[in-house]
Amino acid sequence: MKRFLTLILVAFCFAVLGASQGYGGCPQDKDEDQLILDLEKNIAEQEKLLGVLRARYAKLLSRKKQLLEWIEQEKEKLRQQGASLSRQKVPVKLPPAKISSERKAGPEIRAVQSQPDLAGDKSRKLQESQDIKRLDFLIKR
């Protein structure tokens, strides 16, 4: 029992000593002036941080504005290029072999191309005449 009372007495002494040193559990035990100074320091630090953040934000906004202007300029350039390309007529160039063959053939090929039925009739007549010659040859054998 003596040991128990001794332990309680020692614990009580440490609690009283701690409370007098300012290590109490409640913030109300602290000196009010010290509390106010701590809060003012904290507010000053937060104001500094806020100033830095505002400066960074202003830089970011100006950079964003510059980038948007640059994008608009590039879009305008692309529109102008598209408009100039649509205005220009691109000439269709045929390979030289096709041009020369059309010039050499002249109106005969063009006439045959414009009248496909006549060309088909001629080829059918030619085929029939060849078939008749083959049949005559086979019959003579």
Side-chain angles (χ1 to χ4, degrees):
M1 179 90 160
K2 287 183 180 182
R3 287 184 187 175
F4 182 69
L5 289 175
T6 309
L7 286 176
I8 292 176
L9 181 64
V10 171
F12 181 72
C13 289
F14 281 124
V16 170
L17 182 64
S20 67
Q21 295 287 331
Y23 296 114
C26 294
Q28 296 171 352
D29 293 343
K30 287 187 175 182
D31 190 24
E32 290 180 5
D33 292 333
Q34 183 65 33
L35 182 62
I36 291 172
L37 289 175
D38 290 342
L39 290 175
E40 287 176 351
K41 286 180 185 178
N42 192 5
I43 290 172
E45 289 175 6
Q46 289 179 358
E47 286 176 348
K48 287 179 185 177
L49 288 174
L50 185 62
V52 169
L53 290 175
R54 283 183 180 160
R56 285 184 184 174
Y57 183 70
K59 286 179 185 179
L60 287 174
L61 283 179
S62 66
R63 180 71 177 146
K64 179 183 174 183
K65 189 181 288 186
Q66 290 173 352
L67 288 174
L68 288 174
E69 289 173 1
W70 180 78
I71 289 170
E72 288 300 320
Q73 290 172 357
E74 293 298 316
K75 283 182 182 179
E76 186 62 33
K77 285 179 185 177
L78 288 175
R79 285 185 202 125
Q80 290 174 356
Q81 286 177 354
S84 66
L85 288 177
S86 66
R87 289 180 193 157
Q88 294 176 352
K89 291 184 178 179
V90 179
V92 177
K93 295 182 180 180
L94 294 175
K98 289 186 176 183
I99 294 173
S100 62
S101 66
E102 285 183 8
R103 288 181 184 162
K104 288 178 185 176
E108 296 94 23
I109 291 179
R110 290 185 191 136
V112 170
Q113 288 176 351
S114 65
Q115 298 175 354
D117 294 333
L118 296 177
D121 289 339
K122 288 181 184 178
S123 65
R124 269 189 256 128
K125 287 180 183 178
L126 180 63
Q127 184 68 33
E128 287 175 2
S129 66
Q130 287 177 353
D131 288 341
I132 291 172
K133 286 180 184 177
R134 286 187 189 138
L135 285 173
D136 285 340
F137 177 72
L138 287 174
I139 291 173
K140 289 181 182 178
R141 278 185 152 189

